[in-house]
């Protein structure tokens, strides 16, 4: 795991808009092109309209015309490494192969390494629509 991805996730976490939960999250995604995309959670007074850090990073990636995720890092000020929500697991599976490494982390430096496939066993994918 490169320090670069952690640094990117920590930096973008500072920009999180989390006035309701006070829970700031940062996500950094590296793609096959070597580019790193960042996202933070953006909450809304209409709570369901809030978006997760992972979703923001994926949106930035797609907006840049990039698609192939090869590494993911997510960090929060949680007591244990932050687990992505169900929706974000599905979003990561859309762009990352099952063996793509995902590091879940705390601001304090604890890390848990997993993969896209391990985060979403039994994933629904395009094959189910064949
Ligand atoms: N959140 C994320 O951004 N990513 C995660 O992996 C877990 C949860 C955000 C959503 C909301 O703004 C706040 O954390 C509390 O749920």
């Amino acid at each position: 795991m490169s320090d670069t991805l952690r640094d990117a996730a920590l930096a973008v976490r500072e920009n999180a808009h989390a006035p309701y939960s006070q829970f700031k999250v940062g996500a950094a995604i590296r793609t096959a092109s070597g580019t790193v995309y960042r996202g933070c959670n953006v909450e809304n007074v209409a709570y369901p309209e809030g978006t997760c850090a992972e979703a923001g990073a994926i949106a930035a990636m797609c907006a840049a015309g990039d698609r192939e995720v090869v590494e993911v890092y997510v960090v929060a000020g949680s007591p244990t490494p932050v687990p992505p929500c169900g929706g974000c697991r599905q979003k990561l599976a859309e762009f990352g192969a099952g063996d793509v490494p995902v590091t879940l982390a705390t601001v304090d430096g604890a890390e848990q390494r997993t993969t896209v496939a391990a985060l979403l066993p039994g994933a629904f994918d395009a094959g189910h629509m064949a």
Side-chain angles (χ1 to χ4, degrees):
M1 175 58 54
S2 68
D3 287 345
T4 309
L5 264 199
R6 175 172 171 81
D7 290 346
L10 279 170
V12 72
R13 177 180 171 273
E14 294 300 322
N15 295 333
H17 176 68
Y20 308 106
S21 70
Q22 307 296 331
F23 188 70
K24 293 185 169 190
V25 186
I29 289 173
R30 188 192 320 282
T31 59
S33 71
T35 307
V36 173
Y37 299 93
R38 308 166 181 212
C40 55
N41 52 331
V42 181
E43 297 182 351
N44 192 283
V45 64
Y47 293 176
E49 299 304 324
T51 51
C52 288
E54 298 91 326
I58 288 169
M61 174 188 75
C62 287
D66 219 342
R67 290 288 187 273
E68 191 185 341
V69 173
V70 297
E71 193 174 2
V72 180
Y73 197 104
V74 187
V75 65
S78 44
T80 56
V82 60
C85 76
C88 285
R89 293 172 193 227
Q90 185 74 41
K91 289 179 177 71
L92 291 171
E94 178 75 14
F95 299 103
D99 63 353
V100 163
V102 180
T103 301
L104 313 174
T106 70
V107 168
D108 292 340
E111 291 184 339
Q112 178 188 342
R113 290 184 173 78
T114 183
T115 63
V116 165
L119 284 171
L120 194 63
F124 171 71
D125 62 28
H128 294 103
M129 296 191 293

